[in-house]
PDB file of all heavy atoms in Angstrom:
ATOM      1  N   SER A  17      77.220  -9.072  81.377  1.00 94.00           N
ATOM      2  CA  SER A  17      78.520  -9.732  81.392  1.00 94.00           C
ATOM      3  C   SER A  17      79.392  -9.123  80.309  1.00 94.00           C
ATOM      4  O   SER A  17      78.894  -8.527  79.361  1.00 94.00           O
ATOM      5  CB  SER A  17      78.376 -11.244  81.175  1.00 94.00           C
ATOM      6  OG  SER A  17      77.881 -11.527  79.887  1.00 94.00           O
ATOM      7  N   THR A  18      80.681  -9.288  80.478  1.00 93.00           N
ATOM      8  CA  THR A  18      81.635  -8.724  79.514  1.00 93.00           C
ATOM      9  C   THR A  18      82.333  -9.819  78.718  1.00 93.00           C
ATOM     10  O   THR A  18      83.340  -9.561  78.073  1.00 93.00           O
ATOM     11  CB  THR A  18      82.679  -7.854  80.241  1.00 93.00           C
ATOM     12  OG1 THR A  18      83.329  -8.636  81.256  1.00 93.00           O
ATOM     13  CG2 THR A  18      82.022  -6.653  80.892  1.00 93.00           C
ATOM     14  N   GLY A  19      81.802 -11.020  78.763  1.00 95.00           N
ATOM     15  CA  GLY A  19      82.353 -12.117  77.996  1.00 95.00           C
ATOM     16  C   GLY A  19      81.674 -13.421  78.367  1.00 95.00           C
ATOM     17  O   GLY A  19      80.961 -13.502  79.376  1.00 95.00           O
ATOM     18  N   PHE A  20      81.875 -14.439  77.525  1.00 97.00           N
ATOM     19  CA  PHE A  20      81.304 -15.765  77.743  1.00 97.00           C
ATOM     20  C   PHE A  20      82.419 -16.801  77.839  1.00 97.00           C
ATOM     21  O   PHE A  20      83.388 -16.755  77.082  1.00 97.00           O
ATOM     22  CB  PHE A  20      80.399 -16.177  76.571  1.00 97.00           C
ATOM     23  CG  PHE A  20      79.037 -15.533  76.555  1.00 97.00           C
ATOM     24  CD1 PHE A  20      78.631 -14.637  77.526  1.00 97.00           C
ATOM     25  CD2 PHE A  20      78.153 -15.841  75.534  1.00 97.00           C
ATOM     26  CE1 PHE A  20      77.373 -14.056  77.485  1.00 97.00           C
ATOM     27  CE2 PHE A  20      76.897 -15.274  75.475  1.00 97.00           C
ATOM     28  CZ  PHE A  20      76.495 -14.377  76.458  1.00 97.00           C
ATOM     29  N   ILE A  21      82.250 -17.732  78.773  1.00 98.00           N
ATOM     30  CA  ILE A  21      83.054 -18.947  78.800  1.00 98.00           C
ATOM     31  C   ILE A  21      82.093 -20.104  78.596  1.00 98.00           C
ATOM     32  O   ILE A  21      81.143 -20.276  79.367  1.00 98.00           O
ATOM     33  CB  ILE A  21      83.832 -19.094  80.120  1.00 98.00           C
ATOM     34  CG1 ILE A  21      84.899 -17.987  80.225  1.00 98.00           C
ATOM     35  CG2 ILE A  21      84.486 -20.467  80.217  1.00 98.00           C
ATOM     36  CD1 ILE A  21      85.690 -18.011  81.521  1.00 98.00           C
ATOM     37  N   VAL A  22      82.328 -20.892  77.544  1.00 98.00           N
ATOM     38  CA  VAL A  22      81.363 -21.900  77.117  1.00 98.00           C
ATOM     39  C   VAL A  22      81.984 -23.288  77.222  1.00 98.00           C
ATOM     40  O   VAL A  22      82.963 -23.594  76.526  1.00 98.00           O
ATOM     41  CB  VAL A  22      80.896 -21.639  75.670  1.00 98.00           C
ATOM     42  CG1 VAL A  22      79.754 -22.576  75.308  1.00 98.00           C
ATOM     43  CG2 VAL A  22      80.472 -20.175  75.489  1.00 98.00           C
ATOM     44  N   LEU A  23      81.420 -24.104  78.083  1.00 98.00           N
ATOM     45  CA  LEU A  23      81.858 -25.483  78.246  1.00 98.00           C
ATOM     46  C   LEU A  23      80.947 -26.402  77.443  1.00 98.00           C
ATOM     47  O   LEU A  23      79.927 -25.957  76.920  1.00 98.00           O
ATOM     48  CB  LEU A  23      81.872 -25.859  79.727  1.00 98.00           C
ATOM     49  CG  LEU A  23      82.995 -25.198  80.533  1.00 98.00           C
ATOM     50  CD1 LEU A  23      82.485 -23.969  81.275  1.00 98.00           C
ATOM     51  CD2 LEU A  23      83.614 -26.181  81.513  1.00 98.00           C
ATOM     52  N   PRO A  24      81.300 -27.690  77.321  1.00 97.00           N
ATOM     53  CA  PRO A  24      80.462 -28.605  76.548  1.00 97.00           C
ATOM     54  C   PRO A  24      79.005 -28.573  77.006  1.00 97.00           C
ATOM     55  O   PRO A  24      78.709 -28.585  78.200  1.00 97.00           O
ATOM     56  CB  PRO A  24      81.107 -29.971  76.816  1.00 97.00           C
ATOM     57  CG  PRO A  24      82.549 -29.648  77.019  1.00 97.00           C
ATOM     58  CD  PRO A  24      82.557 -28.351  77.768  1.00 97.00           C
ATOM     59  N   GLY A  25      78.110 -28.512  76.033  1.00 96.00           N
ATOM     60  CA  GLY A  25      76.687 -28.451  76.330  1.00 96.00           C
ATOM     61  C   GLY A  25      75.852 -28.816  75.122  1.00 96.00           C
ATOM     62  O   GLY A  25      76.387 -29.174  74.062  1.00 96.00           O
ATOM     63  N   GLY A  26      74.551 -28.703  75.262  1.00 96.00           N
ATOM     64  CA  GLY A  26      73.624 -29.102  74.214  1.00 96.00           C
ATOM     65  C   GLY A  26      73.056 -27.924  73.449  1.00 96.00           C
ATOM     66  O   GLY A  26      73.715 -26.900  73.244  1.00 96.00           O
ATOM     67  N   PHE A  27      71.797 -28.046  73.027  1.00 95.00           N
ATOM     68  CA  PHE A  27      71.170 -27.029  72.199  1.00 95.00           C
ATOM     69  C   PHE A  27      71.117 -25.666  72.887  1.00 95.00           C
ATOM     70  O   PHE A  27      71.327 -24.631  72.255  1.00 95.00           O
ATOM     71  CB  PHE A  27      69.750 -27.460  71.820  1.00 95.00           C
ATOM     72  CG  PHE A  27      69.698 -28.594  70.826  1.00 95.00           C
ATOM     73  CD1 PHE A  27      68.581 -29.410  70.754  1.00 95.00           C
ATOM     74  CD2 PHE A  27      70.758 -28.853  69.975  1.00 95.00           C
ATOM     75  CE1 PHE A  27      68.514 -30.458  69.834  1.00 95.00           C
ATOM     76  CE2 PHE A  27      70.705 -29.892  69.061  1.00 95.00           C
ATOM     77  CZ  PHE A  27      69.583 -30.700  68.995  1.00 95.00           C
ATOM     78  N   GLY A  28      70.815 -25.655  74.193  1.00 92.00           N
ATOM     79  CA  GLY A  28      70.740 -24.384  74.905  1.00 92.00           C
ATOM     80  C   GLY A  28      72.079 -23.673  74.932  1.00 92.00           C
ATOM     81  O   GLY A  28      72.147 -22.449  74.768  1.00 92.00           O
ATOM     82  N   THR A  29      73.140 -24.442  75.125  1.00 96.00           N
ATOM     83  CA  THR A  29      74.490 -23.870  75.125  1.00 96.00           C
ATOM     84  C   THR A  29      74.834 -23.311  73.751  1.00 96.00           C
ATOM     85  O   THR A  29      75.388 -22.210  73.628  1.00 96.00           O
ATOM     86  CB  THR A  29      75.514 -24.942  75.543  1.00 96.00           C
ATOM     87  OG1 THR A  29      75.173 -25.429  76.846  1.00 96.00           O
ATOM     88  CG2 THR A  29      76.924 -24.371  75.579  1.00 96.00           C
ATOM     89  N   LEU A  30      74.512 -24.068  72.697  1.00 96.00           N
ATOM     90  CA  LEU A  30      74.762 -23.596  71.334  1.00 96.00           C
ATOM     91  C   LEU A  30      73.946 -22.349  71.025  1.00 96.00           C
ATOM     92  O   LEU A  30      74.413 -21.440  70.321  1.00 96.00           O
ATOM     93  CB  LEU A  30      74.431 -24.698  70.328  1.00 96.00           C
ATOM     94  CG  LEU A  30      75.367 -25.906  70.311  1.00 96.00           C
ATOM     95  CD1 LEU A  30      74.847 -26.949  69.333  1.00 96.00           C
ATOM     96  CD2 LEU A  30      76.778 -25.495  69.934  1.00 96.00           C
ATOM     97  N   ASP A  31      72.733 -22.301  71.535  1.00 95.00           N
ATOM     98  CA  ASP A  31      71.876 -21.132  71.325  1.00 95.00           C
ATOM     99  C   ASP A  31      72.533 -19.875  71.881  1.00 95.00           C
ATOM    100  O   ASP A  31      72.610 -18.840  71.204  1.00 95.00           O
ATOM    101  CB  ASP A  31      70.524 -21.373  71.992  1.00 95.00           C
ATOM    102  CG  ASP A  31      69.565 -20.218  71.815  1.00 95.00           C
ATOM    103  OD1 ASP A  31      69.498 -19.655  70.701  1.00 95.00           O
ATOM    104  OD2 ASP A  31      68.876 -19.865  72.785  1.00 95.00           O
ATOM    105  N   GLU A  32      73.027 -19.953  73.110  1.00 94.00           N
ATOM    106  CA  GLU A  32      73.686 -18.801  73.716  1.00 94.00           C
ATOM    107  C   GLU A  32      74.975 -18.446  72.979  1.00 94.00           C
ATOM    108  O   GLU A  32      75.293 -17.269  72.775  1.00 94.00           O
ATOM    109  CB  GLU A  32      73.989 -19.090  75.189  1.00 94.00           C
ATOM    110  CG  GLU A  32      72.770 -19.343  76.063  1.00 94.00           C
ATOM    111  CD  GLU A  32      71.900 -18.116  76.249  1.00 94.00           C
ATOM    112  OE1 GLU A  32      72.304 -17.011  75.834  1.00 94.00           O
ATOM    113  OE2 GLU A  32      70.802 -18.259  76.820  1.00 94.00           O
ATOM    114  N   LEU A  33      75.725 -19.459  72.575  1.00 96.00           N
ATOM    115  CA  LEU A  33      76.976 -19.231  71.861  1.00 96.00           C
ATOM    116  C   LEU A  33      76.738 -18.487  70.552  1.00 96.00           C
ATOM    117  O   LEU A  33      77.388 -17.468  70.274  1.00 96.00           O
ATOM    118  CB  LEU A  33      77.668 -20.575  71.587  1.00 96.00           C
ATOM    119  CG  LEU A  33      78.851 -20.551  70.619  1.00 96.00           C
ATOM    120  CD1 LEU A  33      79.977 -19.677  71.145  1.00 96.00           C
ATOM    121  CD2 LEU A  33      79.345 -21.982  70.356  1.00 96.00           C
ATOM    122  N   PHE A  34      75.828 -18.973  69.728  1.00 95.00           N
ATOM    123  CA  PHE A  34      75.619 -18.357  68.425  1.00 95.00           C
ATOM    124  C   PHE A  34      74.859 -17.030  68.523  1.00 95.00           C
ATOM    125  O   PHE A  34      75.011 -16.171  67.659  1.00 95.00           O
ATOM    126  CB  PHE A  34      74.911 -19.332  67.490  1.00 95.00           C
ATOM    127  CG  PHE A  34      75.842 -20.367  66.921  1.00 95.00           C
ATOM    128  CD1 PHE A  34      75.885 -21.643  67.436  1.00 95.00           C
ATOM    129  CD2 PHE A  34      76.694 -20.040  65.877  1.00 95.00           C
ATOM    130  CE1 PHE A  34      76.760 -22.590  66.924  1.00 95.00           C
ATOM    131  CE2 PHE A  34      77.575 -20.974  65.356  1.00 95.00           C
ATOM    132  CZ  PHE A  34      77.606 -22.256  65.882  1.00 95.00           C
ATOM    133  N   GLU A  35      74.083 -16.855  69.576  1.00 93.00           N
ATOM    134  CA  GLU A  35      73.477 -15.543  69.824  1.00 93.00           C
ATOM    135  C   GLU A  35      74.575 -14.505  70.034  1.00 93.00           C
ATOM    136  O   GLU A  35      74.551 -13.413  69.442  1.00 93.00           O
ATOM    137  CB  GLU A  35      72.586 -15.613  71.065  1.00 93.00           C
ATOM    138  CG  GLU A  35      72.082 -14.273  71.577  1.00 93.00           C
ATOM    139  CD  GLU A  35      70.767 -13.851  70.969  1.00 93.00           C
ATOM    140  OE1 GLU A  35      70.222 -14.618  70.172  1.00 93.00           O
ATOM    141  OE2 GLU A  35      70.298 -12.750  71.297  1.00 93.00           O
ATOM    142  N   ALA A  36      75.553 -14.834  70.874  1.00 93.00           N
ATOM    143  CA  ALA A  36      76.647 -13.902  71.144  1.00 93.00           C
ATOM    144  C   ALA A  36      77.481 -13.657  69.892  1.00 93.00           C
ATOM    145  O   ALA A  36      77.853 -12.518  69.594  1.00 93.00           O
ATOM    146  CB  ALA A  36      77.534 -14.443  72.274  1.00 93.00           C
ATOM    147  N   LEU A  37      77.779 -14.723  69.143  1.00 94.00           N
ATOM    148  CA  LEU A  37      78.562 -14.565  67.918  1.00 94.00           C
ATOM    149  C   LEU A  37      77.851 -13.655  66.917  1.00 94.00           C
ATOM    150  O   LEU A  37      78.476 -12.828  66.255  1.00 94.00           O
ATOM    151  CB  LEU A  37      78.820 -15.934  67.287  1.00 94.00           C
ATOM    152  CG  LEU A  37      79.900 -16.792  67.943  1.00 94.00           C
ATOM    153  CD1 LEU A  37      79.914 -18.182  67.329  1.00 94.00           C
ATOM    154  CD2 LEU A  37      81.264 -16.133  67.810  1.00 94.00           C
ATOM    155  N   THR A  38      76.537 -13.809  66.807  1.00 94.00           N
ATOM    156  CA  THR A  38      75.767 -12.968  65.882  1.00 94.00           C
ATOM    157  C   THR A  38      75.815 -11.509  66.308  1.00 94.00           C
ATOM    158  O   THR A  38      75.976 -10.606  65.475  1.00 94.00           O
ATOM    159  CB  THR A  38      74.308 -13.449  65.823  1.00 94.00           C
ATOM    160  OG1 THR A  38      74.279 -14.810  65.387  1.00 94.00           O
ATOM    161  CG2 THR A  38      73.489 -12.601  64.858  1.00 94.00           C
ATOM    162  N   LEU A  39      75.697 -11.254  67.600  1.00 93.00           N
ATOM    163  CA  LEU A  39      75.726  -9.880  68.101  1.00 93.00           C
ATOM    164  C   LEU A  39      77.092  -9.235  67.874  1.00 93.00           C
ATOM    165  O   LEU A  39      77.186  -8.055  67.539  1.00 93.00           O
ATOM    166  CB  LEU A  39      75.367  -9.857  69.588  1.00 93.00           C
ATOM    167  CG  LEU A  39      73.919 -10.220  69.933  1.00 93.00           C
ATOM    168  CD1 LEU A  39      73.744 -10.335  71.441  1.00 93.00           C
ATOM    169  CD2 LEU A  39      72.949  -9.192  69.371  1.00 93.00           C
ATOM    170  N   VAL A  40      78.163 -10.024  68.055  1.00 92.00           N
ATOM    171  CA  VAL A  40      79.502  -9.487  67.815  1.00 92.00           C
ATOM    172  C   VAL A  40      79.724  -9.263  66.322  1.00 92.00           C
ATOM    173  O   VAL A  40      80.235  -8.214  65.899  1.00 92.00           O
ATOM    174  CB  VAL A  40      80.578 -10.439  68.379  1.00 92.00           C
ATOM    175  CG1 VAL A  40      81.966  -9.949  68.005  1.00 92.00           C
ATOM    176  CG2 VAL A  40      80.457 -10.559  69.895  1.00 92.00           C
ATOM    177  N   GLN A  41      79.342 -10.243  65.506  1.00 92.00           N
ATOM    178  CA  GLN A  41      79.551 -10.144  64.058  1.00 92.00           C
ATOM    179  C   GLN A  41      78.820  -8.939  63.473  1.00 92.00           C
ATOM    180  O   GLN A  41      79.335  -8.258  62.579  1.00 92.00           O
ATOM    181  CB  GLN A  41      79.067 -11.425  63.379  1.00 92.00           C
ATOM    182  CG  GLN A  41      79.277 -11.450  61.863  1.00 92.00           C
ATOM    183  CD  GLN A  41      78.482 -12.552  61.207  1.00 92.00           C
ATOM    184  OE1 GLN A  41      77.287 -12.679  61.434  1.00 92.00           O
ATOM    185  NE2 GLN A  41      79.154 -13.358  60.395  1.00 92.00           N
ATOM    186  N   THR A  42      77.621  -8.654  63.968  1.00 92.00           N
ATOM    187  CA  THR A  42      76.818  -7.551  63.439  1.00 92.00           C
ATOM    188  C   THR A  42      77.073  -6.236  64.173  1.00 92.00           C
ATOM    189  O   THR A  42      76.366  -5.260  63.951  1.00 92.00           O
ATOM    190  CB  THR A  42      75.322  -7.894  63.527  1.00 92.00           C
ATOM    191  OG1 THR A  42      74.977  -8.207  64.886  1.00 92.00           O
ATOM    192  CG2 THR A  42      74.983  -9.092  62.643  1.00 92.00           C
TER     193      THR A  42
END
C-alpha cells in the first residue's frame, strides 16, 4: 500500500498506526 487510512479502533489499530509512524520516522 502507498498509505494508511485509520478509523477508530483498538490495540490492533494502534499497533498498525505506530508501526507505520516508526517506519516513516526512521
